[in-house]
Amino acid sequence: MELGRAGLAWAAALLLAVLGAQAAAGDFDPYRVLGVGRGSSQADIKKAYKRLAREWHPDKNKDPGAEDKFIQISKAYEILSNEEKRANFDRYGDASESQGYSQHQHQQFHHFHEGFYFDESFFHFPFNSERRDSSDDKYLLHFSHYISEIVPDSFKKPYLIKITSDWCFSCIHIEPVWKEVAQELEVLGVGIGVVHAGYERRLAHHLGAHSTPTLLGLISGKITFFHNAVVRENLRQFVENLLPGNLVEKVRGKNYLHFLSNWKKENKPHVLLFDHMPVVPLLYKLTAFAYRDYLSFGYVYVGLQGTKELSSQYNINVYTPTMMIFKEHTDRPADVVQAREMKKQLIDDFLSQNKFLMVARLTSQRLFQELCPVKKPHRQRKHCVVLLTGEGEKFAAAYESFLTFAVANTKDSLKFVHVYSDRQPEFTDALLMDEEKYRGKSAVVILERRNDVGKVAYKALEEAWQGSKEDSFILLDLLDQLRTDPGLLSSETVLADLNDELAPMFLIRWLYSTLDYILDCWDSLFHSNWREMMPLLSLLLSALFILFGTIIVQAFSDSSDARDSPPSEKEETATKAAKNDSSFSKESNSRVPKKGFVEVTELTDINYTSNLVRLRPGHMNVVLILSNSTKTMLLQKFALEVYTFTGSSSLHFSFLSLDKHREWLEYLLEFAQDAAPIPNQYDKHFLERDYTGYVLALNGHKKYFCLFKPHRLGDEAGMGGLCEDYDSALHMEGREKPSCSPGSESIKSKLHKLSFWMERLLEGSLQRFYIPSWPSLD
């Protein structure tokens, strides 16, 4: 009795779900989406679909709703181009094959009381955007937005991204944890993103997500997958592990002076955070990552023995988090902020005002552009006061006096910087004109950047900078005159870009890149989808097979040569003649063709479904594109190039007439989905484009293809031997010899190197272009 009641309850719940889904599906009218009538022919439907698809394709239309519109258009065409689905929609108002439920009830439920069973196709309903979780809407990512904004922004903060889809019950299971963690991490400064795999299949494929739900992290353009249980602690630790480990230095009582004194070597202000937490807070690590190019960060745990002296020296309240910034003077902070709760906005405002030293050294062109911006109309003028000096104790007094002057004359319109003349000789020579009076001494130059290509207006102090009071008065007087008379900067020159003094050496950069690559391979080997690893594994196994095979063959060849006597002159002549009779002998490899000929069939609307749409998994159809005028010559060359691959039972060979099915090929090349689309845009010449010689390897089951484009004529010499090669092949098959003319050679040259492309096809290393569905071949 209880079992019967439970069964009735399940049946009622399922019926309500079906009725709700049908009500939602009833709002979708494919005729209205394509703008055609119910009596329209397939030609009219296809014409309307192609026009709308070109108009609303996301790669061409930048409207925010273009992607949703394109999906609706594709769904509508999928229904109306299939006569069975169209008939179901006309009869029941929905294209699902499960309509007529009352007539086929026994097919949908099977022995209900023996176990709850349903047909998976029963739930194929159009996706209703109103059912999506509204909390994820503000995090939704699109491909163009991800490439242009999210990836560059990942160099300032890490991103936590979720890939989800419709009818993903595991996604529903992790939703509460995701919401909590997303809200918590977003406040700390972590970027949050959501990718809907149904709408953004291209982006999901680009990220390497082949199942849902998938969680991944993005930092500095690098993707890392999350593989642990989805709980709050694991997600927080995952984000923290994305960050580099050397962002924050733990400062104790004895090493604080060493930390603060590095400002000159690193050319950065140093930040100290005093807090009572034993570990560095995640907020502080995220802040250090965002400002790592401008500031160096240290952390002081006030509860540790040995830090009391440091806290008392700077008068720190150990019960309140305190942040201090030290610049050129390590005995006193340049700025301080205290707060019971250190919020991200408070920290950002504090640090953005203290990103540079009082007299920063120009170590790169980027730093020069930030400190000395280009003059803009209707804006306050920005002038840079540059000290050109040398290194060592000899120039210490000149630098100290310049620093004192800069601290006393801090203004928004002035920036004080200095340059080591020996490290930036081109910059120094352009401003001082290599005058003798400045040689071996310091000099001060006031300049204003006029444009981005290096043009500046400037004025140098007439005498070298000694650091005396008289020098300070002269400089102060010039700055006062400049405030009222911008024409004081009478000299102009063009500066070359500054050398990047702090850039790591090439060897160090190479070592870091190699280490990152090894770590990526290690992670991919144990965690990534095996489909992504198959090309690499195939390449490694092929290389090992060739290496050991060569060694073994060489060993046997040497032993055979030692045992056997030299062949007689007659045997040598017979061997050479046999080699000349067969053109395939020089292309022989490990594959042995099963036939003595290549079976190439024409792809027509009659065999299209069996040869492509319903092709068995793992099988591919290699299709040659030709025209009536090039049919004979291209087929001959095609047979020659692919002959050695006919031993594979998974490969089928066909040809497609461009004169009959040009529209089918245009559709395939235009709507291929990939991160790097095929450049095949419509223009006024697209009807004249020559596609003869193109070869497509079509995988009907997985809906993708690989593309071979014709070899350019003249890329290589030695094309004259093509006819002789094929003549010998035909002699083997007992066919007639074709005519060998310059025209036939140029056409046959289009398929030059096709055999190398076929090798890469079997290895799985070719680029794949995915499509939503196979177009009909009319």
Side-chain angles (χ1 to χ4, degrees):
M1 186 66 180
E2 294 296 331
L3 182 61
R5 290 180 179 177
L8 290 175
W10 275 106
L14 180 60
L15 184 60
L16 289 174
V18 171
L19 293 176
Q22 288 179 340
D27 297 335
F28 181 78
D29 185 357
Y31 292 103
R32 178 172 52 82
V33 172
L34 293 182
V36 296
R38 289 184 175 268
S40 301
S41 64
Q42 285 294 334
D44 294 336
I45 291 172
K46 181 187 293 185
K47 184 177 180 180
Y49 166 70
K50 293 193 68 174
R51 176 177 55 80
L52 292 173
R54 283 196 296 268
E55 178 183 354
W56 291 97
H57 197 281
D59 290 340
K60 301 177 181 179
N61 195 321
K62 301 306 180 183
D63 189 281
E67 193 156 5
D68 292 340
K69 182 70 174 177
F70 182 75
I71 291 173
Q72 289 184 356
I73 293 169
S74 300
K75 180 65 176 178
Y77 180 70
E78 182 183 354
I79 293 173
L80 297 184
S81 61
N82 187 300
E83 293 296 342
E84 185 178 353
K85 291 184 178 181
R86 183 178 180 181
N88 282 337
F89 182 83
D90 292 340
R91 184 177 302 174
Y92 304 111
D94 186 78
S96 174
E97 296 177 357
S98 61
Q99 292 297 336
Y101 170 77
S102 59
Q103 301 177 15
H104 305 284
Q105 186 176 9
H106 65 282
Q107 296 179 6
Q108 304 301 326
F109 293 89
H110 178 67
H111 300 298
F112 181 84
H113 293 289
E114 295 179 7
F116 184 62
Y117 171 84
F118 60 91
D119 186 4
E120 186 179 358
S121 65
F122 192 79
F123 288 93
H124 286 181
F125 300 103
F127 177 69
N128 187 353
S129 59
E130 296 179 357
R131 296 182 184 176
R132 283 184 294 182
D133 191 346
S134 59
S135 64
D136 283 346
D137 287 347
K138 64 178 180 179
Y139 303 128
L140 286 175
L141 301 180
H142 303 287
F143 183 82
S144 58
H145 173 65
Y146 171 83
I147 295 297
S148 61
E149 297 185 26
I150 301 301
V151 173
D153 198 39
S154 68
F155 288 86
K156 298 179 182 178
K157 64 180 180 182
Y159 274 82
L160 183 64
I161 300 175
K162 176 182 72 171
I163 290 88
T164 184
S165 63
D166 297 334
W167 306 107
C168 172
F169 297 104
S170 298
C171 301
I172 300 174
H173 178 70
I174 70 170
E175 196 63 33
V177 179
W178 167 260
K179 284 183 181 180
E180 179 187 359
V181 175
Q183 293 174 0
E184 179 183 353
L185 294 179
E186 188 178 22
V187 173
L188 299 179
V190 178
I192 305 297
V194 175
V195 177
H196 193 285
Y199 281 102
E200 282 292 336
R201 181 168 57 180
R202 182 179 176 187
L203 179 53
H205 177 74
H206 176 76
L207 294 173
H210 302 289
S211 62
T212 55
T214 297
L215 298 179
L216 57 89
L218 174 70
I219 187 168
S220 300
K222 177 185 175 183
I223 296 172
T224 304
F225 285 88
F226 176 79
H227 301 291
N228 296 326
V230 182
V231 295
R232 176 180 174 276
E233 292 75 15
N234 288 348
L235 286 173
R236 278 182 60 95
Q237 190 61 44
F238 172 69
V239 172
E240 193 165 349
N241 291 341
L242 292 176
L243 300 169
N246 58 347
L247 286 173
V248 181
E249 182 177 344
K250 291 188 176 181
V251 178
R252 296 171 177 82
K254 296 181 180 180
N255 68 335
Y256 82 96
L257 282 177
H258 174 73
F259 171 75
L260 296 179
S261 61
N262 280 334
W263 67 267
K264 183 175 291 187
K265 177 182 177 182
E266 298 175 2
N267 195 36
K268 296 178 182 178
H270 282 55
V271 185
L272 278 181
L273 175 66
F274 295 80
D275 204 347
H276 58 276
M277 300 292 293
V279 296
V280 181
L282 179 58
L283 172 62
Y284 196 53
K285 289 185 177 180
L286 293 169
T287 303
F289 180 76
Y291 291 91
R292 67 190 185 281
D293 292 335
Y294 302 98
L295 303 163
S296 292
F297 292 82
Y299 182 75
V300 180
Y301 170 41
V302 295
L304 192 67
Q305 289 185 352
T307 59
K308 292 183 179 179
E309 200 176 306
L310 179 60
S311 301
S312 61
Q313 179 180 347
Y314 295 114
N315 196 21
I316 300 298
N317 182 357
V318 296
Y319 300 103
T320 305
T322 304
M323 186 174 287
M324 291 183 171
I325 288 189
F326 294 83
K327 295 187 177 180
E328 284 87 350
H329 300 104
T330 59
D331 56 337
R332 61 182 184 275
D335 206 350
V336 181
V337 64
Q338 283 187 335
R340 290 189 177 276
E341 292 186 14
M342 283 286 185
K343 300 290 186 181
K344 181 180 183 299
Q345 187 62 46
L346 174 65
I347 296 177
D348 286 342
D349 293 341
F350 177 69
L351 296 181
S352 60
Q353 298 173 6
N354 295 280
K355 293 197 301 183
F356 304 105
L357 297 169
M358 296 301 298
V359 181
R361 180 160 61 92
L362 297 183
T363 56
S364 66
Q365 184 66 18
R366 179 189 63 81
L367 189 59
F368 180 43
Q369 292 171 351
E370 285 198 59
L371 288 171
C372 305
V374 175
K375 169 186 170 293
K376 294 183 179 179
H378 311 296
R379 296 285 181 88
Q380 185 181 17
R381 292 176 177 270
K382 302 285 186 181
H383 297 100
C384 268
V385 185
V386 185
L387 172 67
L388 304 171
T389 185
E391 300 181 65
E393 292 297 328
K394 176 183 176 181
F395 302 95
Y399 169 77
E400 289 295 335
S401 64
F402 187 77
L403 175 61
T404 304
F405 183 89
V407 173
N409 294 274
T410 302
K411 297 177 182 178
D412 292 338
S413 60
L414 291 176
K415 289 291 183 182
F416 293 87
V417 296
H418 74 284
V419 172
Y420 284 155
S421 302
D422 296 338
R423 300 193 184 187
Q424 306 290 348
E426 295 182 2
F427 184 90
T428 303
D429 293 342
L431 293 175
L432 299 182
M433 300 298 181
D434 200 21
E435 292 191 28
E436 190 65 31
K437 61 182 177 181
Y438 298 115
R439 193 174 302 278
K441 299 179 182 179
S442 301
V444 172
V445 177
I446 306 171
L447 64 82
E448 179 184 53
R449 292 180 64 220
R450 293 294 172 86
N451 57 30
D452 291 323
V453 295
K455 184 178 180 181
V456 297
Y458 71 98
K459 181 175 180 59
L461 267 64
E462 295 183 0
E463 299 297 330
W465 177 266
Q466 303 292 339
S468 62
K469 289 185 179 181
E470 183 180 355
D471 291 341
S472 299
F473 286 138
I474 294 174
L475 179 57
L476 184 61
D477 184 55
L478 280 176
L479 294 176
D480 288 338
Q481 294 180 42
L482 187 62
R483 193 180 310 166
T484 57
D485 181 18
L488 186 65
L489 306 181
S490 55
S491 302
E492 290 187 348
T493 188
V494 177
L495 299 176
D497 288 350
L498 291 167
N499 303 322
D500 193 349
E501 299 177 15
L502 302 180
M505 297 175 59
F506 171 77
L507 180 60
I508 296 177
R509 294 201 304 269
W510 183 82
L511 288 175
Y512 281 140
S513 300
T514 304
L515 180 60
D516 289 340
Y517 181 76
I518 294 174
L519 292 176
D520 287 343
C521 292
W522 181 265
D523 183 70
S524 300
L525 185 63
F526 288 97
H527 298 296
S528 292
N529 191 290
W530 281 101
R531 285 191 297 177
E532 300 295 321
M533 293 296 297
M534 284 306 296
L536 179 60
L537 293 176
S538 175
L539 181 63
L540 291 175
L541 292 176
S542 300
L544 291 174
F545 177 79
I546 293 172
L547 177 63
F548 287 105
T550 303
I551 295 174
I552 294 173
V553 170
Q554 186 68 33
F556 279 103
S557 298
D558 293 343
S559 60
S560 299
D561 292 342
R563 289 195 307 268
D564 298 341
S565 59
S568 64
E569 189 174 336
K570 289 185 178 181
E571 291 175 343
E572 264 186 42
T573 306
T575 303
K576 290 181 180 179
K579 287 184 178 179
N580 292 330
D581 285 342
S582 176
S583 64
F584 298 113
S585 61
K586 62 183 177 182
E587 295 181 4
S588 62
N589 53 24
S590 59
R591 299 183 187 86
V592 179
K594 294 181 179 180
K595 304 175 182 179
F597 62 94
V598 180
E599 183 178 351
V600 185
T601 59
E602 183 177 4
L603 199 62
T604 64
D605 55 343
I606 298 175
N607 61 8
Y608 178 73
T609 301
S610 59
N611 285 2
L612 175 60
V613 178
R614 294 182 180 175
L615 204 61
R616 286 180 293 174
H619 285 238
M620 299 188 75
N621 197 340
V622 182
V623 180
L624 168 68
I625 307 299
L626 48 76
S627 62
N628 291 336
S629 60
T630 61
K631 180 177 179 180
T632 303
M633 287 175 284
L634 283 180
L635 278 178
Q636 291 174 354
K637 180 62 177 176
F638 180 72
L640 177 64
E641 292 288 330
V642 304
Y643 176 78
T644 55
F645 302 91
T646 55
S648 174
S649 60
S650 62
L651 291 180
H652 309 269
F653 301 94
S654 305
F655 70 91
L656 184 79
S657 175
L658 193 61
D659 300 320
K660 300 177 184 177
H661 305 295
R662 185 186 191 92
E663 190 176 74
W664 180 87
L665 180 62
E666 289 281 353
Y667 172 91
L668 210 64
L669 297 180
E670 181 180 11
F671 295 106
Q673 296 184 12
D674 194 83
I678 303 173
N680 195 64
Q681 304 297 330
Y682 278 84
D683 53 31
K684 63 181 180 180
H685 302 296
F686 82 95
L687 289 174
E688 304 172 3
R689 190 174 289 120
D690 183 20
Y691 292 107
T692 56
Y694 277 46
V695 178
L696 291 85
L698 308 173
N699 190 315
H701 179 68
K702 295 186 178 180
K703 296 181 181 178
Y704 73 81
F705 67 92
C706 302
L707 178 64
F708 170 86
K709 289 190 177 181
H711 178 72
R712 287 187 178 180
L713 188 62
D715 281 4
E716 284 186 19
M719 302 301 295
L722 289 174
C723 290
E724 290 83 356
D725 293 342
Y726 194 71
D727 287 348
S728 58
L730 291 180
H731 179 71
M732 181 185 67
E733 299 173 17
R735 300 181 182 178
E736 294 181 2
K737 293 177 65 174
S739 62
C740 189
S741 64
S744 64
E745 288 184 8
S746 63
I747 294 174
K748 289 180 180 180
S749 67
K750 290 188 174 186
L751 298 181
H752 187 51
K753 294 187 178 180
L754 177 62
S755 59
F756 295 104
W757 182 82
M758 290 291 298
E759 288 282 355
R760 294 184 59 198
L761 174 67
L762 294 181
E763 291 174 359
S765 60
L766 290 176
Q767 185 178 11
R768 298 177 179 181
F769 300 94
Y770 289 84
I771 60 170
S773 60
W774 293 113
S776 59
L777 189 70
D778 295 336

